[in-house]
Amino acid sequence: MEETDTFESDVNSVKKLWWLHDSYWHATAVKELGPEKANELNLQAAERFFRSYTLMLLKEKRIQRPQSIEDLVEIFRYVWKTCFFDELYIHDPITIEGNEATWVGTTCNAFNSLSSAKMTEGYACGCQSIRNGVMKALKLKPLHSIDKSLIGGDDCCVIRFSFEPK
């Protein structure tokens, strides 16, 4: 195996372990604080992390403030690629109509973990907080909706988000 392949494999493993840590943290918070408070803390932490991460990417000039919905889609793809493992969300279809994009996903590692632990009931999906953090850092209004959700019992997630500068 080449050194580059080993490095990419190691990075993917670290990402998996980080998200496993997140799952353990949430399960412990639910047990200790109850689902409502655990969800509140989880959503706050996710939004803050992704806002800070996006600001770091801007500062390091790895991304630029978007000028269009297409630019915003590319920023979300970059964030997904760097933060999630196994290329989660990268190849899922995104359609664009005017100033709105619709993403359809059929796999979610958080959903899979929560399902295995039988903890989907009462779980507040963190996807909205992730988008809030990214969009706020980019000085965009966080306009998005979850039309369908694996957590909600649907066969896929359908997320719509719009491009509108503040």
Side-chain angles (χ1 to χ4, degrees), residues 2 4 17 20 24 34 37 39 42 50 52 55 66 68 86 124 133 136 144-145 148-149:
E2 289 185 32
T4 304
L17 288 171
L20 183 59
Y24 289 149
K37 189 64 173 178
N39 283 330
N42 190 45
F50 281 93
S52 295
L55 289 170
S68 66
D86 293 339
K136 286 177 181 179
H144 46 91
S145 64
K148 292 175 81 176
S149 170

Side-chain angles (χ1 to χ4, degrees), residues 4 9 15 32 40 57 64 72 81 88 128 135 137 159:
T4 304
S9 177
K15 288 178 188 179
E32 296 294 321
E40 177 188 330
L57 294 174
Q64 299 177 41
L72 180 58
K81 184 173 182 157
L88 186 66
Q128 183 169 341
M135 294 174 91
I159 310 295

Side-chain angles (χ1 to χ4, degrees), residues 15-16 18-27 39 42-43 46 50 83-86 88-89 92 103 105-128 130 149-152 157:
K15 288 178 188 179
K16 285 179 184 177
W18 174 252
W19 286 103
L20 183 59
H21 163 272
D22 184 64
S23 297
Y24 289 149
W25 178 92
H26 188 265
N39 283 330
N42 190 45
L43 297 177
F50 281 93
C83 291
F84 300 110
F85 59 91
D86 293 339
L88 186 66
Y89 309 139
D92 291 333
W103 170 81
T106 56
T107 302
C108 173
N109 292 328
F111 172 72
N112 293 344
S113 294
L114 289 160
S115 294
S116 294
K118 298 183 182 359
M119 291 185 65
T120 56
E121 188 176 326
Y123 177 76
C125 178
C127 289
Q128 183 169 341
I130 291 170
S149 170
L150 291 166
I151 293 287
C157 293

Side-chain angles (χ1 to χ4, degrees), residues 5-18:
D5 293 339
T6 302
F7 178 78
E8 290 299 321
S9 177
D10 289 347
V11 168
N12 201 46
S13 294
V14 169
K15 288 178 188 179
K16 285 179 184 177
L17 288 171
W18 174 252

Side-chain angles (χ1 to χ4, degrees), residues 9 22 32 36 48 72 80 92 126 133 135 138-140 143 149 162 165:
S9 177
D22 184 64
E32 296 294 321
E36 189 175 304
R48 285 181 178 172
L72 180 58
W80 296 336
D92 291 333
M135 294 174 91
L138 297 170
K139 297 187 177 182
L140 301 175
L143 299 171
S149 170
S162 298

Side-chain angles (χ1 to χ4, degrees), residues 28-70:
T28 302
V30 167
K31 182 179 173 187
E32 296 294 321
L33 305 171
E36 189 175 304
K37 189 64 173 178
N39 283 330
E40 177 188 330
L41 294 172
N42 190 45
L43 297 177
Q44 285 177 9
E47 182 173 322
R48 285 181 178 172
F49 171 83
F50 281 93
R51 184 176 183 277
S52 295
Y53 180 61
T54 304
L55 289 170
M56 183 190 79
L57 294 174
L58 285 166
K59 184 178 180 181
E60 293 177 357
K61 300 192 184 320
R62 289 199 242 163
I63 62 170
Q64 299 177 41
R65 291 204 194 308
Q67 302 300 310
S68 66
I69 189 70
E70 290 84 2

